[in-house]
Amino acid sequence: MPRVSPAHMERRREAILNAAMEVFIAKGYQVATVGDIAQQAGLSVGAIYRYFPTKADLMLALVRERLGRAPALFARLTARVEDPWERLVRCVELFTAALRVRHPGTGRLLLVTMAEAVQNGEVRRGLHDRFAGLADYVAGIIAEGVARGRFRPDVDPRTVAALLLSMADGVAVYWVTGAPDLELNAMGQSLVAMLRSYLLPEPLLKE
Amino acid sequence: MPRVSPAHMERRREAILNAAMEVFIAKGYQVATVGDIAQQAGLSVGAIYRYFPTKADLMLALVRERLGRAPALFARLTARVEDPWERLVRCVELFTAALRVRHPGTGRLLLVTMAEAVQNGEVRRGLHDRFAGLADYVAGIIAEGVARGRFRPDVDPRTVAALLLSMADGVAVYWVTGAPDLELNAMGQSLVAMLRSYLLPEPLLKE
Amino acid sequence: MPRVSPAHMERRREAILNAAMEVFIAKGYQVATVGDIAQQAGLSVGAIYRYFPTKADLMLALVRERLGRAPALFARLTARVEDPWERLVRCVELFTAALRVRHPGTGRLLLVTMAEAVQNGEVRRGLHDRFAGLADYVAGIIAEGVARGRFRPDVDPRTVAALLLSMADGVAVYWVTGAPDLELNAMGQSLVAMLRSYLLPEPLLKE
Amino acid sequence: MPRVSPAHMERRREAILNAAMEVFIAKGYQVATVGDIAQQAGLSVGAIYRYFPTKADLMLALVRERLGRAPALFARLTARVEDPWERLVRCVELFTAALRVRHPGTGRLLLVTMAEAVQNGEVRRGLHDRFAGLADYVAGIIAEGVARGRFRPDVDPRTVAALLLSMADGVAVYWVTGAPDLELNAMGQSLVAMLRSYLLPEPLLKE
DNA sequence: TATGAATGAGCATTCATTCAT
DNA sequence: TATGAATGAATGCTCATTCAT
């Protein structure tokens, strides 16, 4: 007979996770202390441990519940776009917007998480799942474009998808360490131009 | 063993740096202990401190003396290639080879370093210098290609260079966390194809 | 055992301070380890740090809260004595008793503290405050004696007070290093005799 | 067949001892490092160990060869003075001058040494020897004054001597920690006045 | 003999985790 | 349930001492 409702517990769990993300982003996983997180969440250390058995579980939950949802999120937000090329462009825009506006912490969390993945197998697996999910999604778009004759026929969807995602995460990670001269919008536009010339057959002749 | 030759001291310094790189790559900066590094170097803890005043200085030296030399290294190794397009392709190949064969630890070091850069201003500056140096170099190649009429005239060299390097480091970082399905060679070839279609004006008509 | 009463925390703080005093007295500040203090207090190392942020703060607290209270203590314990001469004599007795019976560790603490004061400005300031406080008090007694015509008119209260206190602390410090032949009582009596002949005008004629 | 002359070795030994005194005075025994001393002496660490087997031996030598010579020094410098009272006054002057001009470091060395004596039996014994030597000498003067009828007959030479020396060392030690308001000259004069009124029978009637 | 690099035990301090209240 | 005091293992760094050169 719990005193608090499951909803309340869920809300508190989320609050702790948000606090942990904030703190991990600011300090990195190793440097962040459970006390920092408790303070950020406005709770006591003990309370954290009621929701997450160890500090490592906080990181893992973030990987799975924040980063891990990126594939589903992308799918949902680009589902309405019919044309594969438009959908691909939408993905690039979405990523740029996410990095700059919607979830500016995600890039940093990605970096912090990658660093932890070196050591921690479960974190590594979580990251790979996210990458694989996103790559599958993008590869699907490309494959569809190829199938429909919209894209050049000789592209390898999986490889190009991996390339795109690597670039995206590379940008995220540099952007996030405060690299001085990264103009996200310009980079997005150049990327789209590059993809257009690569994927769309003879576009220059017509346009 | 005092009054050793400067050469001996330099060799030992390098050995310690190598040991530190090994250990940082394997565990990450925070988790690695100075004892680990000493053990890896076959020295005592105190000996480490004769060459590097703090653990942080080890990291910083790695950033500056390993990662930071990448621009000069790339410049040297591609200097002979005359044609800008060939030189760009050479860079991609070089990077792929470096990641896989020559300096397989560098990618990991890059990741570990990025994670530390979140916290450590000096490390961050070191990374930015490396990125800026590489970006300058690649942008120079592209600008030259544009100037010579070899590349499409409307590309923005700096933006494309940043994009390329982000992708490269993104790949490095994923490759390094052991992402399962990254086929470096295939990715390199696709990237070259993409660049060709983007940079070279109407190459398809002739070739 | 959280949410303990402030009284409990204060008691524990005092216990730690007592333990620190014990250990510092026995080993000196530099040689004493925080582990020693924890053991003496029957606590863990970590517990010490909940009450005092650094080892140096333990010393400082002792200087301020043990030694620094001497002026107030002396004032309180001799306040009732009306006659300046009697009060002075009372001070000498008090000091002798304190050294031998009441606070036998204080002399040692004084020594250990002085040694630390060479290096540590805050400790030095604490010691000077104590000395100045005691000197003010004793000088006040002497000045009052002079003003009332009870003492010889040409004595300089501040200088004599400083002299007295130097002697007192000199005795304390030697007593404490275990100097073999210091007979505290005899020394106190001789001091009183010396003061009598110096301060009281022509007492020998009458008595 | 030593390469260097015994005289050279003795000179070097003295130089090391001087350096050690300088450093101990500035930092205290525990905080001073053998490296500090070597640097101050312009030698290598190893050289120090050729002359003194351990760091502790440096301190001990200082106690014995610097502080321990005080009794002989005082005896020598006051030997010419015939009258016991004059000789006593001379001692006070000597002490004041020594503290301020001749050997300004001695006070500090005394303090540092006392602190070490808490722990170190040999140092303690050295200090006690010095104290006993000085006390014997002063007590001898007083006893002589009594015997000659120059001093009040009821003084206890040993106790008064101990009192005087405690005061002297107390002053030294406070002076040395930088106590702000200690006017050595004024204190010396007051002390002489106090001693005169105590020791010399009815001086007031004549002077 | 002199040097100073190397050793490694030792210490102040931190922090994940526990558990009495 | 929540709190936060207590625990104690772990870590970066120092320094007396040794000894190869």
Side-chain angles (χ1 to χ4, degrees), chain C residues 37-167:
Chain C
I37 296 167
Q39 191 159 46
Q40 173 76 23
L43 290 169
S44 67
V45 206
I48 306 293
Y49 281 89
R50 182 163 293 278
Y51 293 84
F52 297 92
T54 69
K55 185 187 170 190
D57 287 302
L58 280 164
M59 162 110 300
L60 200 53
L62 284 174
V63 172
R64 290 183 177 152
E65 298 174 30
R66 295 285 198 272
L67 298 181
R69 283 178 188 158
L73 191 71
F74 265 71
R76 186 158 58 77
L77 291 178
T78 63
R80 299 179 191 170
V81 185
E82 174 58 20
D83 181 56
W85 169 250
E86 293 301 329
R87 214 190 298 174
L88 209 55
V89 173
R90 185 86 187 85
C91 282
V92 174
E93 292 168 358
L94 205 60
F95 191 86
T96 311
L99 218 53
R100 291 189 39 190
V101 187
R102 288 300 186 95
H103 308 285
T106 306
R108 242 165 214 254
L109 182 60
L110 187 63
L111 170 55
V112 167
T113 304
M114 281 170 164
E116 221 32 44
V118 172
Q119 279 272 90
N120 184 323
E122 287 192 287
V123 169
R124 190 159 56 239
R125 230 162 296 130
L127 272 186
H128 288 167
D129 288 349
R130 166 189 171 277
F131 189 88
L134 286 170
D136 281 352
Y137 182 64
V138 171
I141 301 176
I142 297 174
E144 192 182 333
V146 171
R148 291 199 197 173
R150 186 88 171 85
F151 290 172
R152 172 203 290 226
D154 63 340
V155 304
D156 173 6
R158 303 204 63 82
T159 300
V160 173
L163 212 51
L164 274 175
L165 284 169
S166 292
M167 182 186 292

Side-chain angles (χ1 to χ4, degrees), chain D:
Chain D
M1 70 199 72
R3 298 275 183 80
V4 298
S5 67
H8 174 263
M9 290 200 66
E10 185 48 41
R11 231 176 303 127
R12 180 149 289 186
R13 210 192 101 101
E14 281 304 309
I16 291 173
L17 229 36
N18 286 336
M21 176 156 164
E22 214 69 38
V23 174
F24 288 163
I25 280 170
K27 302 191 161 187
Y29 173 72
Q30 298 291 344
V31 175
T33 72
V34 177
D36 291 335
I37 295 167
Q39 191 162 46
Q40 173 77 22
L43 292 170
S44 68
V45 215
I48 305 291
Y49 279 88
R50 185 159 293 280
Y51 293 84
F52 297 92
T54 70
K55 186 187 170 190
D57 288 303
L58 281 164
M59 162 113 297
L60 200 53
L62 282 174
V63 171
R64 290 180 176 155
E65 299 174 29
R66 295 284 197 274
L67 297 181
R69 283 178 187 157
L73 190 70
F74 265 69
R76 184 158 59 78
L77 291 177
T78 63
R80 299 176 191 172
V81 186
E82 174 58 23
D83 180 58
W85 168 249
E86 293 302 328
R87 214 192 298 173
L88 209 55
V89 172
R90 186 85 187 88
C91 282
V92 173
E93 290 168 357
L94 206 60
F95 191 85
T96 311
L99 218 53
R100 289 190 40 189
V101 187
R102 288 302 186 93
H103 309 285
T106 306
R108 243 166 212 251
L109 182 60
L110 187 63
L111 171 53
V112 166
T113 305
M114 281 171 164
E116 222 31 44
V118 171
Q119 277 272 88
N120 184 323
E122 287 192 287
V123 169
R124 190 160 55 239
R125 230 162 295 128
L127 273 186
H128 289 167
D129 288 349
R130 165 189 171 276
F131 190 88
L134 286 170
D136 281 353
Y137 181 63
V138 172
I141 299 176
I142 297 174
E144 192 183 333
V146 171
R148 291 199 198 171
R150 186 86 170 88
F151 291 170
R152 174 203 289 228
D154 62 342
V155 304
D156 173 4
R158 303 202 64 78
T159 300
V160 173
L163 212 49
L164 273 174
L165 283 169
S166 292
M167 183 185 292
D169 284 350
V171 171
V173 151
Y174 263 115
W175 168 258
V176 125
T177 58
D181 303 320
L182 289 192
E183 283 286 344
L184 274 191
N185 280 341
M187 289 174 76
Q189 284 163 20
S190 284
L191 177 59
V192 168
M194 203 182 298
L195 285 171
R196 174 182 294 126
S197 72
Y198 179 54
L199 292 176
L200 301 186
E202 297 152 58
L204 297 172
L205 300 181
K206 295 175 181 175
E207 286 175 298

Side-chain angles (χ1 to χ4, degrees), chain C residues 28-41:
Chain C
Y29 173 73
Q30 298 290 345
V31 176
T33 73
V34 177
D36 291 334
I37 296 167
Q39 191 159 46
Q40 173 76 23

